[in-house]
């Protein structure tokens, strides 16, 4: 083999065959526009899908946080409502307990039992009123062209509304007397005004007692007004005369709530019994005993401090016993209306002993 053949052989070893070079080169030298657009759209959809997924995750987390916050708020509000309800019930129980203790101390009637849950307090029907069924009551209200049922109205309230409508239709006003204090009670003559020693237990006897009391105070106020009107003009225009007339007018106005209680028959037992004793003593012209009954009713028998109660910086050992009997209890004169008509009764006693003087001079009040 010559040198030229040897060199060509070595050169051919280092070169790549033309067939292999053609195969290794890419077959596509260009891309279509539709393929590029499809790739771009696919990339855009993938990006939008990722953004939507991220947004949904954020909304889901936000919704979950809001639900947890709402649940915490509901639980907090429920706890506050429950605590407020417990506090209200506890306060009402304490007030009821205090009121029952006060009524027992004053001799007043016990509080009526509370209504059960779901029942609303309504005005009780008066004695003698006809009980009408629900169906008939609705038909009667519709016949009067009135609403058959109002919101939150029970049968008793609906029946009471029907009674008021029929009373307006009949237009029958209650008959009132022409005395100093007009009242619907039928006054009794002077011969029947003597009140009994013991309080009657039945309703008719109690109603007649209220009529007797109203008749006696009406008589005293009438005689008082008549006596003031018969004074000379010089006495009427004087300072003392005007003060006496103003005292009579004030007593008359202050006794109107007492007459209202007589009409309703709602005077407390702890006030009715002493008032009956005072009137009984005044009718028998025992004005000192009547004044003692007034003092017992208004002031009571509690210990009252007289003189100096604090000497020095140290408290005396027996000082706490002064108000031990009425500790934590309300006094009967703490009620403004009650205080006013009791003071008016005292003024009526002062006039009665001048209008009907006692046979025993020792029974004159000072």
């Amino acid at each position: 083999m010559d040198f030229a053949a040897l060199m060509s052989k070595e050169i051919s070893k280092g070169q790549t065959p033309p067939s292999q070079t053609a195969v290794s080169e890419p077959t596509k030298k260009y891309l279509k526009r539709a393929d590029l657009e499809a790739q771009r759209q696919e990339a855009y959809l993938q990006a939008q899908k990722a953004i939507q997924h991220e947004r949904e995750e954020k909304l889901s987390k936000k919704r979950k946080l809001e639900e947890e916050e709402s649940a915490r708020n509901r639980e907090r509000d429920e706890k506050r409502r429950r605590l407020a309800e417990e506090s209200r019930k506890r306060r009402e129980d304490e007030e009821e307990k205090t009121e029952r203790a006060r009524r027992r101390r004053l001799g007043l009637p016990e509080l009526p039992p509370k209504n059960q849950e779901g029942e609303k307090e309504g005005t009780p029907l008066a004695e003698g009123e006809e009980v009408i069924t629900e169906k008939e009551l609705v038909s009667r209200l519709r016949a009067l062209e009135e609403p058959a049922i109002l919101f939150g109205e029970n049968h008793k309230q609906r029946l009471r509304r029907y009674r008021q409508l029929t009373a307006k239709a009949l237009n029958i006003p209650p008959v009132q007397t022409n005395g100093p204090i007009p009242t619907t009670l039928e006054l009794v003559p002077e011969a029947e005004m003597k009140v009994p020693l013991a309080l009657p237990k039945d309703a008719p006897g109690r109603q007649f007692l209220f009529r007797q009391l109203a008749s006696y105070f009406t008589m005293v106020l009438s005689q008082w007004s008549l006596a003031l009107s018969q004074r000379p003009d010089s006495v009427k225009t004087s300072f003392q005369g005007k003060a006496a007339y103003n005292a009579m007018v004030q007593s008359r106005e202050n006794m109107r709530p007492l007459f209202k209680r007589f009409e309703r028959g709602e005077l407390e037992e702890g006030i009715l019994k002493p008032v009956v004793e005072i009137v009984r003593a005044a009718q028998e012209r025992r004005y000192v005993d009547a004044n003692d009954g007034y003092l017992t009713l208004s002031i009571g028998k509690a210990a009252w401090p007289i003189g100096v109660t604090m000497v020095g910086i140290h408290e005396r050992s027996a000082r706490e016993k002064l108000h031990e009997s009425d500790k934590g209890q309300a006094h009967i004169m703490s009620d403004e209306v009650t205080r006013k008509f009791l003071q008016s009764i005292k003024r009526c006693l002062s006039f009665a002993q001048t209008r009907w003087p006692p046979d025993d001079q020792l029974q004159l009040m000072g």
Side-chain angles (χ1 to χ4, degrees):
M1 180 178 295
D2 56 358
F3 180 76
L6 182 61
M7 289 299 294
S8 60
K9 184 180 180 180
E10 291 294 333
I11 289 172
S12 62
K13 288 181 181 180
Q15 292 180 353
T16 305
S19 60
Q20 295 179 1
T21 304
V23 173
S24 62
E25 291 181 358
T27 57
K28 282 188 177 181
K29 295 183 180 180
Y30 59 90
L31 294 174
K32 294 181 179 180
R33 186 180 296 275
D35 297 339
L36 291 176
E37 185 66 21
Q39 292 177 4
R40 187 185 66 81
Q41 289 183 359
E42 185 178 359
Y44 175 76
L45 292 176
Q46 292 293 335
Q48 291 298 321
K49 188 180 296 185
I51 293 173
Q52 182 68 19
H53 182 68
E54 184 179 358
R55 187 183 295 115
E56 290 179 356
E57 287 183 352
K58 289 183 179 179
L59 289 176
S60 177
K61 291 180 180 179
K62 183 179 180 181
R63 192 181 302 110
K64 185 177 181 181
L65 291 176
E66 290 178 352
E67 290 178 356
E68 292 177 355
E69 182 69 19
S70 177
R72 286 194 296 269
N73 291 336
R74 285 197 302 269
E75 184 178 358
R76 190 184 304 113
D77 295 341
E78 181 66 21
K79 185 176 180 180
R80 289 178 180 175
R81 187 193 62 79
R82 188 171 61 254
L83 292 176
E85 185 70 19
E86 292 177 358
S87 176
R88 184 185 62 82
K89 289 183 178 179
R90 186 163 54 250
R91 184 175 64 254
E92 288 180 354
D93 293 340
E94 292 177 357
E95 292 177 355
E96 182 181 0
K97 184 178 180 181
T98 305
E99 179 66 17
R100 290 184 183 277
R102 185 186 73 86
R103 285 175 173 267
R104 283 195 299 270
R105 181 179 65 85
L106 298 177
L108 303 179
E110 291 292 334
L111 289 174
K114 290 185 176 181
N115 293 335
Q116 298 179 358
E117 296 183 358
E119 294 184 0
K120 295 185 178 180
E121 184 178 358
T123 306
L125 296 178
E127 294 185 2
E129 289 190 353
E130 179 188 1
V131 179
I132 306 176
T133 61
E134 181 71 18
K135 186 176 180 181
E136 184 179 359
L137 181 59
V138 170
S139 62
R140 291 188 182 184
L141 287 172
R142 287 174 178 170
L144 294 175
E145 296 183 356
E146 292 290 336
I149 299 175
L150 297 179
F151 179 76
E153 188 181 42
N154 56 24
H155 181 72
K156 288 185 177 180
Q157 295 172 346
R158 196 174 303 113
L159 185 58
R160 182 65 61 188
R161 180 163 60 91
Y162 172 73
R163 300 295 182 192
Q164 294 175 355
L165 291 173
T166 53
K168 290 180 181 178
L170 294 175
N171 196 14
I172 303 176
V175 180
Q176 293 188 344
T177 59
N178 296 324
I181 303 178
T183 177
T184 57
L185 292 173
E186 184 181 356
L187 302 181
V188 299
E190 186 176 357
E192 301 178 4
M193 289 184 188
K194 194 71 172 291
V195 296
L197 292 174
L199 295 180
K201 301 298 182 180
D202 55 336
R206 187 65 62 94
Q207 185 67 21
F208 184 72
L209 175 62
F210 290 143
R211 291 172 55 194
Q212 288 177 318
L213 294 175
S215 302
Y216 175 75
F217 288 122
T218 299
M219 181 186 67
V220 174
L221 291 173
S222 300
Q223 292 295 326
W224 194 358
S225 177
L226 180 62
L228 292 179
S229 64
Q230 292 176 351
R231 297 176 300 171
D233 293 338
S234 59
V235 178
K236 291 181 181 179
T237 56
S238 64
F239 178 77
Q240 290 82 2
K242 292 180 180 179
Y245 179 77
N246 292 335
M248 187 273 297
V249 173
Q250 185 179 12
S251 300
R252 183 185 62 193
E253 296 300 321
N254 291 340
M255 293 187 71
R256 290 183 184 273
L258 179 62
F259 274 67
K260 293 296 182 182
R261 297 187 184 184
F262 287 160
E263 293 174 1
R264 297 192 301 265
E266 296 177 353
L267 191 61
E268 296 84 352
E269 192 78 15
I271 300 178
L272 178 60
K273 186 176 181 181
V275 168
V276 169
E277 294 176 356
I278 292 171
V279 172
R280 175 83 180 187
Q283 289 174 345
E284 295 176 355
R285 302 187 182 185
R286 295 183 291 107
Y287 298 107
V288 173
D289 297 338
N291 186 52
D292 293 341
Y294 167 75
L295 293 177
T296 303
L297 175 61
S298 59
I299 300 177
K301 299 181 180 180
W304 288 78
I306 300 176
V308 180
T309 58
M310 286 293 292
V311 180
I313 61 175
H314 299 291
E315 192 178 50
R316 299 177 64 181
S317 60
R319 186 175 181 272
E320 64 273 5
K321 296 181 180 179
L322 290 175
H323 304 287
E324 196 175 66
S325 60
D326 57 345
K327 188 179 295 183
Q329 296 177 349
H331 196 265
I332 192 172
M333 298 289 275
S334 60
D335 184 12
E336 188 71 12
V337 177
T338 305
R339 180 184 65 81
K340 286 183 178 180
F341 69 68
L342 288 180
Q343 290 177 349
S344 300
I345 292 176
K346 176 63 172 62
R347 290 179 178 178
C348 290
L349 291 178
S350 300
F351 169 75
Q353 74 173 356
T354 60
R355 174 63 178 79
W356 300 282
D359 298 333
D360 186 5
Q361 298 299 318
L362 296 178
Q363 286 294 331
L364 281 174
M365 295 185 298

